[in-house]
Amino acid sequence: MDTTRSIDYWGIVTRSARIAWDNKFLWFFGFFAASGGGSGGNYGGGGERAAEEVRNFFMANLEILVLIIMGLVVLWLILLVLNVISKGALLSCISRADRGERIRFEDGWRAGLKHFWGVLGIGLLGLLAFLVVAAVCAVALIVPLAGGAPGIAVALLIGAILAVPFLGFLFLLAFTIIYAERHYVIADVTVSEALSTGWEMTKTYFLQSFLMWLVSFASGIAFFIAIVIALLAMAIPFILIGVASPIVGLVMGIPVGVAFMILAVSAFSTYDHALWTLMYADLQRGPVPAAAGTSVPPAPAPASTTSPGPSAAPSGPGAAPPFREQGAAEHGEPPSPPAEGERDQ
């Protein structure tokens, strides 16, 4: 097993950028793939009077609040569905584009729908694994705190001991899910086979995967710097307009800035998904353990134990007769033994 194989990281970067730029319709999927969907909030108050006012507000506007909450839940579910569909669409289209195939928006949408439940299941299993390990670590940190001041020191010691293993677990989990999603969509296997392959690839190519994570992280930093510079440059004309009329400057500048951010985030999300998809494809071209569910080429069929002699007759139209006693005798070969039917005659 080749665990030290070299990867052309710069080549993956350039191929990913080219695919993202040449197929801009993928940015639609990139936008929703970048958004996981979710909401939350913090509430606080002081004194009984404030609490009473909050309760009165809730009771007076209960129906409106229920509708708002239901609307947020529906919006979250829509974003979640689009997120899962977009992941499957991106992985399929990027893989096909890298192979030189022609891709269309409807191809990605169909691929996302086809692999929806598998991609969702892999993501949920990854989330469940994270929550279980995080809960165990949290309990290990919280329990010593019941011992007072000495417990705080014990908790800090436990936290220092668990920090590195927990960080390693996060990397292992992230790489496993990344490769499992791609193997599920591209190789069209079951979820269990995809997870098995994802884990085998993570174990076999952890160093290469970590280096790709550094490439992705560096790309994110470069992207952030480029976005800040571009936004500052774009803001100059609107600032000049705002000197004369601040409201006009804001009304014109904010929509332009938001639209630019949406396009930029969508493009980078497409590029980042391409990075890992091409990384998966390059690693799959190398030796991967058969236990990982990777397709193994069938072995060639064994040669026939009965090899035809030099006098074997060709087949097909115009072929020579099957019995060649006369021709064999002409070449000094012993005649072939008669078949069973000929013996009877």
Side-chain angles (χ1 to χ4, degrees), residues 101-119:
E101 299 180 22
R102 181 174 177 269
I103 55 174
R104 300 173 300 173
F105 179 88
E106 50 267 32
D107 297 331
W109 186 261
R110 282 196 295 266
L113 289 176
K114 176 184 177 182
H115 299 97
F116 176 85
W117 293 110
V119 174

Side-chain angles (χ1 to χ4, degrees), residues 60-299:
N61 302 276
L62 185 59
E63 295 180 357
I64 297 177
L65 290 174
V66 170
L67 291 176
I68 292 175
I69 293 174
M70 291 178 61
L72 291 175
V73 171
V74 171
L75 178 61
W76 179 82
L77 290 175
I78 292 174
L79 289 176
L80 176 63
V81 170
L82 290 174
N83 173 265
V84 176
I85 292 176
S86 296
K87 279 185 179 180
L90 278 178
L91 305 187
S92 176
C93 287
I94 290 170
S95 175
R96 292 180 56 189
D98 185 52
R99 297 195 299 266
E101 299 180 22
R102 181 174 177 269
I103 55 174
R104 300 173 300 173
F105 179 88
E106 50 267 32
D107 297 331
W109 186 261
R110 282 196 295 266
L113 289 176
K114 176 184 177 182
H115 299 97
F116 176 85
W117 293 110
V119 174
L120 178 63
I122 292 173
L124 291 178
L125 289 174
L127 177 61
L128 178 62
F130 167 77
L131 292 177
V132 170
V133 174
V136 171
C137 294
V139 170
L141 293 175
I142 293 173
V143 169
L145 296 178
I152 296 177
V154 174
L156 292 175
L157 178 61
I158 293 176
I161 295 174
L162 293 179
V164 173
F166 184 71
L167 185 61
F169 162 77
L170 292 181
F171 277 110
L172 290 173
L173 178 63
F175 296 156
T176 300
I177 297 302
I178 285 173
Y179 292 136
E181 289 177 340
R182 280 148 182 81
H183 195 63
Y184 174 76
V185 173
I186 297 172
D188 200 16
V189 297
T190 63
V191 170
S192 60
E193 290 173 334
L195 288 170
S196 176
T197 296
W199 174 239
E200 290 296 333
M201 292 182 68
T202 299
K203 291 191 302 181
T204 305
Y205 304 115
F206 180 81
L207 177 59
Q208 293 87 338
S209 302
F210 182 75
L211 292 176
M212 176 52 67
W213 178 84
L214 291 177
V215 171
S216 177
F217 182 73
S219 298
I221 294 177
F223 166 78
F224 176 78
I225 295 174
I227 288 297
V228 171
I229 295 174
L231 286 176
L232 291 175
M234 292 174 57
I236 293 176
F238 299 106
I239 292 175
L240 296 176
I241 295 174
V243 172
S245 177
I247 296 178
V248 175
L250 290 175
V251 170
M252 295 178 62
I254 291 178
V256 173
V258 171
F260 174 78
M261 284 296 299
I262 290 175
L263 289 175
V265 169
S266 302
F268 181 78
S269 174
T270 303
Y271 159 81
D272 194 57
H273 279 81
L275 277 182
W276 288 103
T277 303
L278 299 187
M279 178 69 174
Y280 159 84
D282 285 3
L283 290 178
Q284 280 291 89
R285 296 186 183 105
V288 178
T294 306
S295 300
V296 179

